[in-house]
Amino acid sequence: MKKLIILIIICAGIQQGLSQSPVYPWNTEWDAVEDNAYIKDTQNQLLPYTGTWVYTNGNKKVTIKLQRIMYYYTSGKKHFMDKIAGRYKVENGSTVVFSDWDLNFASANLSGVRIYENKLYGSYFDAGNCRILSDVKIWLDPNNPNKMYMESELQGKMPFVQDEDECPQWRNPGFGENPTIPRSIVLYKQ
Amino acid sequence: MKKNLLFTLLGSLCLFFACKEDDLREAGHEHGKTETKQVTFREFLNSEGHRSEVQKIRKYFHGTHPGISNKGRDSLNWEIDTAGITQIITPEVTTYTFRVIEYDTISGFRNVVIREYQDETKAFLVHYPDGVDYENKTEANVIVEQLESPLFRAAECYVLRYQCLQCGMTMCNVEPGWVLIRSTCSDSGGGGGGYNPDPDPYDPGWPTDPGNSPWNENGGGGSGNGSSATPCDKLRQKSIDQVFKQKINFLKVKVNEHPHEWGWENYNPNEMYPTPGNGTNKYNTSAEGTAMTYEVREWGQHVTGYAHSHPDRPEVMGVHSTEDIYQFAAMVKRRYQGVPPGGGQFEVNSTYGIVVGTHGVYAIKITNLDNFVNSYIFSDRAEWDKFWLDFEENYNRKKPVGNENNNQKNNEISILKTLQYYYSTIGITLFRASDDLSKWDQLSLNEAGTDVVKTPCN
């Protein structure tokens, strides 16, 4: 029992250390907080989206792993926030078409940063297509928390690479029209 | 001799009325001796500042410059833009063509041309009342008036025509170009018919659209890529560029008419890398996107602006997206890092990114180049990736979602907050045009961030 109390005290101490930043609820705007503030998912709104989700269509299989990233450090005004970050693997039969599965989540190209009317809004930089950018909308089936819908819409076809010459194919007709993750999919939790 | 003067002054081909064999040889000969280049205001002053005619018109020059100062805006409704001066040198004649900054709305646009001919210097105000359609190359009226003339001289009229300058048996031997043909002035002030085949010594050189971006400005020893004209000045110049206005109005129609984006780019072919083309201030034809994004068709250091529509759909904001802002930043970066034909640096103040949406016509422009250069261009790869990831996420959290929230004020506040948040990194500011495109306002937020403040450019 004593050990348990000591452990709780230690954990509380660690948490206290992490929480020295002023904490704001998750819907707080970034520019409404001071430097070093922490915009926290205080109501655990993000947790239902986390986990490993799979979409299949014939031979095509998309596996997406969504995690809640805590204390994500933002550039600009320098503060921290919680967000959803995703890594994914796309397979065609036994061939892996794309995978960033093993990379760290902090710099993930799939993210969710806002919830409005039970839908998670975020963005998708398609690393398999020169990081072209799409808006993403994710929502859970109200009758089945293990079923998730994901839709994306392309913002534009400019490659988000530091030098567009790294991606000469962006000028080709049809570039960007076949995203690595299909535009509208239904996924099931594993 | 007069024909010869016209050939040489315009730096090109034979006239419509002069396509005779003798003249062909003459034109071809002179064509090879013509040199056209961009000079800075400092270079102009070093070369011509001592001339009494230049001293006489100093009150018209925009801004304050070493050794020369303007009279101020209080007493003038126009000034000479000291950025992007075109110099044309032939064996007989040297001309300098300047853009004009207008402080009142005028029809078309005006240039000032300073001409040296047979040791005599004269300055002319050259008005293109209908603008110049560089794209379709239709004829345009030109009115020429001598500045600070010791004798009263009435304005004289010309017609500007794009035509073969050196005619072969069945086709042009060289690429066509603009020529001026003397005409009679109609009551309305524009040129009419009755072309006089005799060119006049007041031929005003190449028309230089004020919305055009210069190709080789060094800024007179200043910041290099900047120019004396402010972003507001540059937008005002666009307000009197008839071709630009037509093309924006076309996109305005598409906003409500079509579910896809339409768009175009504005570019200077003579800045192309590696092979410069002919002409400046060109627009490609407005094109429909294949999906919700318009197709970028012209890209490179010679591109100075883009515009596209955002269709009137509930989920589409009528202002720039992250992608649009990124495209603009990439364009500015290309210009900043590019090298013009002939060396030097590109001017970036004229670059713009325009979105035509349900709630208005918006332009983004660089208003702090130092921020952009120091923080954006030279950031390392990881920082750069993170910057755009964070930018998009930040903007995403500010965007109004839900049909009921997609309105002008909410959209403007969301983009203004985002641009303000990253101003120290990218130095970009938002502007909005009046409905008739004649005026621009710089937009900012009030102190509480709850309302939009308009600061007129005019």
Side-chain angles (χ1 to χ4, degrees), chain B residues 328-337 348 351 366 369 372:
Chain B
F328 173 70
M331 183 172 70
V332 175
K333 183 181 166 191
R334 282 240 166 196
R335 300 266 310 157
Y336 183 82
Q337 295 185 323
V348 297
T351 53
I366 292 285
L369 185 61
F372 183 84

Side-chain angles (χ1 to χ4, degrees), chain A residues 26 28-30 72-73 75 77 79 83 111 113-114 116 153 155 157 159 162 164 171 177, chain B residues 290 292 295 297 299 313 323 326 333-334 379 381 386 390 393 396-397 399 404 417 421:
Chain A
W26 197 63
T28 309
E29 279 193 15
W30 288 15
Y72 174 77
Y73 179 72
S75 55
K77 210 173 174 181
H79 59 257
K83 69 172 188 176
S111 63
V113 293
R114 185 179 194 186
Y116 180 80
E153 185 173 8
Q155 276 198 21
K157 293 182 179 177
Q162 212 169 13
E164 306 96 58
R171 305 297 305 278
E177 287 167 14
Chain B
T290 52
M292 293 309 153
E295 294 286 338
R297 289 170 303 149
W299 191 248
R313 293 189 292 131
E323 157 82 18
Y326 167 71
K333 183 181 166 191
R334 282 240 166 196
S379 57
R381 181 58 176 268
K386 181 170 169 53
D390 289 352
E393 290 181 351
N396 228 324
R397 286 173 67 91
K399 285 176 187 172
E404 69 282 8
K417 282 185 173 178
Y421 192 91

Side-chain angles (χ1 to χ4, degrees), chain A residues 162, chain B residues 375-386:
Chain A
Q162 212 169 13
Chain B
S375 302
Y376 180 74
I377 288 187
F378 297 118
S379 57
D380 71 33
R381 181 58 176 268
E383 273 179 17
W384 190 89
D385 283 352
K386 181 170 169 53

Side-chain angles (χ1 to χ4, degrees), chain A residues 7 14 26-27 32 39 57 65 67-70 78 80 82 84 94 96 98 101 105 112 136 138 151 163 180 184 190:
Chain A
L7 186 62
I14 291 169
W26 197 63
N27 60 357
I39 299 171
N57 183 10
K65 189 159 53 178
Q67 281 191 5
R68 182 175 72 175
I69 302 291
M70 301 182 74
K78 298 180 176 57
F80 305 90
D82 295 346
I84 286 289
S94 57
V96 176
F98 178 85
W101 198 254
F105 274 79
V136 166
I138 296 170
E151 284 182 0
D163 184 347
T180 310
S184 180
Q190 297 299 292

Side-chain angles (χ1 to χ4, degrees), chain A residues 51-71:
Chain A
T52 301
W53 301 83
V54 174
Y55 157 81
T56 51
N57 183 10
N59 284 336
K60 186 155 192 169
K61 181 181 178 187
V62 179
T63 310
I64 299 176
K65 189 159 53 178
L66 298 180
Q67 281 191 5
R68 182 175 72 175
I69 302 291
M70 301 182 74
Y71 267 93

Side-chain angles (χ1 to χ4, degrees), chain B residues 38-45 82-85 216-221:
Chain B
Q38 297 283 303
V39 295
T40 65
F41 189 57
R42 175 169 292 179
E43 289 167 340
F44 166 75
L45 287 181
T82 55
I85 304 162
N216 193 15
E217 264 175 58
N218 286 319

